[in-house]
Amino acid sequence: KGGNAEVVIHDPFVSNSVPLEQAVAGADAIILATNHDQFKGIYKKIAEIGRHKKDCIIVDCWGFFDKNEVKGLGFDYLRFGSGE
């Protein structure tokens, strides 16, 4: 309540999206809303970039990521609709 959110899009198929490094900078949450092959394992690259907040959550709308790997990299993980 009363909070503000900034939504930033990184998608290789969207012409006005931002680079990944910019998209995750300071992120509280990262939402995988599409299952492009280019996004397989992208959580590893995000962890390497390390510009997200420490308690950042990855919300996986497709069950596309390996939950244990994501959590092992220090992210919170939620598979949308799965109750995980």
Side-chain angles (χ1 to χ4, degrees):
K1 183 176 180 178
N4 294 315
E6 178 183 358
V7 177
V8 181
I9 298 170
H10 168 75
D11 188 321
F13 299 106
V14 175
S15 61
N16 63 343
S17 72
V18 300
L20 180 62
E21 293 81 2
Q22 183 181 344
V24 300
D28 292 309
I30 297 168
I31 301 171
L32 177 71
T34 185
N35 62 348
H36 298 320
D37 284 339
Q38 292 87 338
F39 290 156
K40 285 184 180 175
I42 198 169
Y43 52 87
K44 295 174 189 173
K45 186 168 184 176
I46 294 168
E48 288 173 13
I49 294 167
R51 295 179 64 192
H52 56 281
K53 291 188 178 174
K54 183 180 178 200
D55 57 351
C56 182
I57 185 169
I58 291 183
V59 180
D60 182 355
C61 297
W62 290 87
F64 198 60
F65 293 153
D66 182 299
K67 173 185 176 179
N68 294 323
E69 283 187 20
V70 172
K71 291 185 105 174
L73 290 170
F75 295 101
D76 287 330
Y77 177 82
L78 173 65
R79 183 173 152 188
F80 186 73
S82 73
E84 292 184 34

